[in-house]
Amino acid sequence: MFMSWVQMLLFVSLLFPTSVQSEIRHYSFTVVLKNTTRLCATKPIVTVNGKFPGPTLYAREDDNVLVNVTNLIKDNVTIHWHGVKQLRTGWSDGPAYITQCPIQPGRSYLYNFTLTGQRGTLLWHAHISWLRSTMHGAIVILPKKGVPYPFPKPDKQKVIVLGEWWKSDAEAVINEALQTGLAPNVSDGHTINGHTGPVPNCSYGGAYNLHVENGKTYLLRVINAALNDELFFKIAGHDLTVVEVDAAYTKPFKTDTLFLGPGQTTTALLTTDRGIGKYVIAISPFMDTVVSVDTFTGTGYLIYNNTLPSIPTTMTTMPPVNATWKTLVFAESLRSLNSKQYPANVPLTVDHSLLFTIGVGIDPCATCSNGSRAVAAINNITFDMPTIAILEAHYYGIKGVFTDDFPGKPLMPYDYTGVQPTNLQTMHGTRVYRLAYNSTVELVIQGNSMLAPESHPTHLHGFNFFAVGRGLGNFNPAKDPKKYNLVDPVERNTISVPTAGWTAIRFRADNPGVWFFHCHLEVHTTWGLKMAFLVENGKGPDESVVPPPRDLPQC
Ligand code: C2O
């Protein structure tokens, strides 16, 4: 008996239930000023849809996400989907003047991207000036329908967004710093889902309360959306099992403390097995150098149902602010899951072997307070922002916007972590580093001691990378690569480069476009610790940047 085409199709679709289950997710983000009484008097803050933190974007792996952003404030805005790979869709990546001109007041722009090969927790945030201090929120990428987590199924999920708060307007803080040439004021508090908990000399809007049921497993999606502070996160009386970072699964490991730099995410399982009680949730900063930091611990509470107010709260001790060892142990414990289903595809050969030194310097400035101003640089080049987007200049072949001579190695090698050099001045430029499609890159990010050595959470747009090695002091090209982990190194988009130390990452340049690379401490981004990789198109449309959308903002 022969089947008709229709019967055949029906038959085949019964045998192979459709694997295309991806959906289109529509979101509408309106940028508005909103009064808040959360901390120290009522003041307007910049928000998305009037919320702080902003709305959580939920989707599944492979979904197409459409976010229409309308700007109703007086400043230019952009939004970056931090950690979303944006395969060929750089126009939707978001960093102002790198991939797009900002959305001007009164205008809208539709971000359009697909979540390919990623699952877990990420964040979105404004990517212009310091607006991300209050304009940020979570991205939750659930596994495809019918695909289980590679860990025990949690009973419930909670998003926990950590932030940093200034009593005054964060835009005023950075503008003043740029005028004086000095470091900006440190923040006045740390927030957990928008609440600080008690802060001295402040009236406040309460603490974050996480109400839980006994005997359950919670999946906590923790996001560090702070501007300038790397943070420790702890829940009194409870261990956490880390299962994923930066939307890539890890080998599960148990810890009492999480450590996250700005831009990093950690998803962990929490078992509620204490029966009853109120337990402090605390976040505190890490800073193991002379740079000043907001040392105030932000607090919230984990509260078991049926806990009477008379039951005393269980406190916790946070690691000291300079607990370097704690950060190193945490980093060492992170390994890619590297299972059959989720292999760690570490590039084993390297086409481009790069060494970037990163740090802070001092440039002359006649109008500044001390006749000088703080700057930051990669390979001693302070990045000057262009006035139109580099991706546009690249796509349309517009000359004079950038040069492609970013040095792959320091121009003048010196003892990077040794005695401070006498000349702290940097060069300036808008330079990119050019990569052929699908070439492989090893990048050693070397912290330097130019002004003060400091831990730098460094972020690459457009890719995940593997953190294959790290160490203290100067990277040794003869010895250190022998100790690389090329089997199950952690895969992420933001990595801490230890104070006066180095981190080696590897990635494959399989995403054409222009991809920002910068320290995710916003103060260092502002000062110029940034550059971009330009990845050329490969063959045909599937390996090329998609054409720009018609509503792409103009400068
Ligand atoms: Cu989360 Cu370029 O940033």
Side-chain angles (χ1 to χ4, degrees):
M1 189 194 92
F2 292 100
M3 287 188 280
S4 74
W5 274 110
V6 177
Q7 282 172 318
M8 185 105 106
L9 274 176
L10 273 171
F11 180 68
V12 169
S13 67
L14 279 177
L15 274 182
F16 305 99
T18 168
S19 59
V20 191
Q21 298 159 322
S22 58
E23 289 175 40
I24 302 179
R25 310 267 177 174
H26 292 268
Y27 281 88
S28 163
F29 278 22
T30 308
V31 184
V32 285
L33 280 179
K34 175 87 179 175
N35 268 329
T36 171
T37 51
R38 284 272 166 76
L39 185 69
C40 295
T42 304
K43 65 163 191 176
I45 58 168
V46 181
T47 66
V48 165
N49 299 350
K51 292 184 175 157
F52 174 63
T56 299
L57 202 150
Y58 287 95
R60 284 185 188 279
E61 183 183 345
D62 283 347
D63 282 356
N64 179 203
V65 180
L66 299 173
V67 190
N68 187 46
V69 177
T70 303
N71 179 9
L72 296 185
I73 63 167
K74 61 174 194 356
D75 296 307
N76 286 340
V77 301
T78 70
I79 295 185
H80 169 49
W81 317 93
H82 179 118
V84 172
K85 284 184 196 164
Q86 299 288 358
L87 283 173
R88 307 188 292 116
T89 54
W91 310 109
S92 287
D93 192 37
Y97 304 107
I98 305 299
T99 57
Q100 69 164 99
C101 293
I103 308 168
Q104 293 171 11
R107 300 284 173 87
S108 300
Y109 179 47
L110 184 70
Y111 289 90
N112 180 352
F113 52 89
T114 300
L115 299 164
T116 310
Q118 297 180 281
R119 62 304 283 176
T121 311
L122 295 171
L123 69 154
W124 57 264
H125 62 74
H127 210 312
I128 184 165
S129 192
W130 276 27
L131 288 181
R132 79 174 170 90
S133 65
T134 54
M135 247 178 97
H136 59 244
I139 302 176
V140 173
I141 311 172
L142 300 165
K144 290 182 230 185
K145 254 189 208 133
V147 176
Y149 294 110
F151 46 81
K153 188 172 184 274
D155 299 300
K156 289 190 173 137
Q157 309 205 8
K158 297 280 175 191
V159 167
I160 300 184
V161 182
L162 315 179
E164 238 183 310
W165 182 278
W166 279 260
K167 289 178 188 172
S168 54
D169 174 27
E171 287 301 285
V173 170
I174 186 57
N175 288 337
E176 187 199 319
L178 287 175
Q179 260 171 26
T180 59
L182 305 172
N185 294 341
V186 299
S187 54
D188 298 302
H190 293 109
T191 54
I192 304 177
N193 281 346
H195 301 265
T196 57
V199 171
N201 310 319
C202 269
S203 66
Y204 77 108
Y208 169 65
N209 290 331
L210 172 59
H211 293 278
V212 296
E213 217 178 303
N214 189 48
K216 298 271 183 239
T217 306
Y218 288 77
L219 190 68
L220 303 185
R221 300 177 176 277
V222 186
I223 295 166
N224 184 346
L227 261 79
N228 299 319
D229 289 349
E230 298 189 278
L231 295 168
F232 293 114
F233 174 95
K234 236 177 137 175
I235 302 179
H238 294 78
D239 279 337
L240 297 165
T241 303
V242 175
V243 290
E244 169 250 305
V245 294
D246 295 5
Y249 292 133
T250 62
K251 291 198 171 67
F253 82 94
K254 212 179 225 186
T255 177
D256 62 351
T257 311
L258 305 183
F259 174 63
L260 306 92
Q264 291 186 320
T265 58
T266 302
T267 304
L269 294 165
L270 162 80
T271 308
T272 49
D273 54 5
R274 302 298 296 260
I276 202 163
K278 190 171 171 184
Y279 298 83
V280 163
I281 303 174
I283 56 172
S284 68
F286 165 64
M287 179 58 77
D288 61 352
T289 185
V290 293
V291 176
S292 53
V293 71
D294 168 13
T295 50
F296 200 76
T297 298
T299 46
Y301 302 99
L302 175 109
I303 306 169
Y304 282 78
N305 292 347
N306 306 322
T307 297
L308 299 172
S310 56
I311 292 179
T313 302
T314 308
M315 307 303 280
T316 187
T317 32
M318 295 307 282
V321 67
N322 61 355
T324 311
W325 66 274
K326 199 80 191 168
T327 69
L328 297 178
V329 167
F330 189 79
E332 274 308 309
S333 309
L334 286 173
R335 299 287 157 127
S336 276
L337 181 59
N338 192 28
S339 63
K340 225 194 201 128
Q341 204 176 352
Y342 304 102
N345 293 316
V346 188
L348 297 178
T349 58
V350 170
D351 300 319
H352 296 260
S353 178
L354 311 178
L355 176 66
F356 286 4
T357 68
I358 59 173
V360 177
I362 295 183
D363 275 7
C365 166
T367 56
C368 295
S369 302
N370 302 327
S372 65
R373 66 186 177 108
V375 286
I378 303 179
N379 281 351
N380 211 38
I381 297 168
T382 296
F383 187 90
D384 288 334
M385 289 304 257
T387 48
I388 72 161
I390 296 179
L391 181 59
E392 266 185 279
H394 163 56
Y395 190 87
Y396 292 112
I398 304 167
K399 300 264 172 289
V401 176
F402 66 90
T403 56
D404 65 358
D405 55 349
F406 193 90
K409 298 244 152 31
L411 296 169
M412 284 195 299
Y414 65 100
D415 178 2
Y416 309 113
T417 54
V419 216
Q420 174 176 311
T422 40
N423 182 2
L424 297 175
Q425 199 175 334
T426 63
M427 297 186 292
H428 283 251
T430 307
R431 305 192 192 188
V432 305
Y433 190 92
R434 194 178 276 274
L435 295 167
Y437 180 81
N438 223 19
S439 55
T440 52
V441 181
E442 175 175 307
L443 168 57
V444 176
I445 315 163
Q446 171 75 60
N448 73 38
S449 307
M450 279 271 278
L451 197 56
E454 197 175 331
S455 168
H456 297 278
T458 312
H459 173 46
L460 175 63
H461 290 224
F463 304 93
N464 279 1
F465 51 73
F466 293 95
V468 295
R470 61 189 283 135
L472 299 178
N474 294 339
F475 171 72
N476 181 333
K479 285 198 194 133
D480 289 325
K482 296 196 178 106
K483 290 177 272 171
Y484 281 171
N485 174 3
L486 300 176
V487 179
D488 63 353
V490 68
E491 178 182 349
R492 45 191 338 170
N493 62 60
T494 306
I495 189 89
S496 275
V497 178
T499 299
W502 57 272
T503 293
I505 63 171
R506 284 194 184 183
F507 65 98
R508 179 176 293 278
D510 54 3
N511 191 9
V514 173
W515 305 110
F516 211 12
F517 174 80
H518 60 94
C519 177
H520 214 277
L521 303 181
E522 202 56 42
V523 55
H524 292 167
T525 314
T526 306
W527 285 346
L529 207 170
K530 51 196 174 191
M531 57 79 70
F533 287 98
L534 188 161
V535 179
E536 290 165 349
N537 286 339
K539 289 189 207 87
D542 286 351
E543 298 181 357
S544 300
V545 176
V546 301
R550 258 178 283 159
D551 61 343
L552 186 71
Q554 302 294 302
C555 283

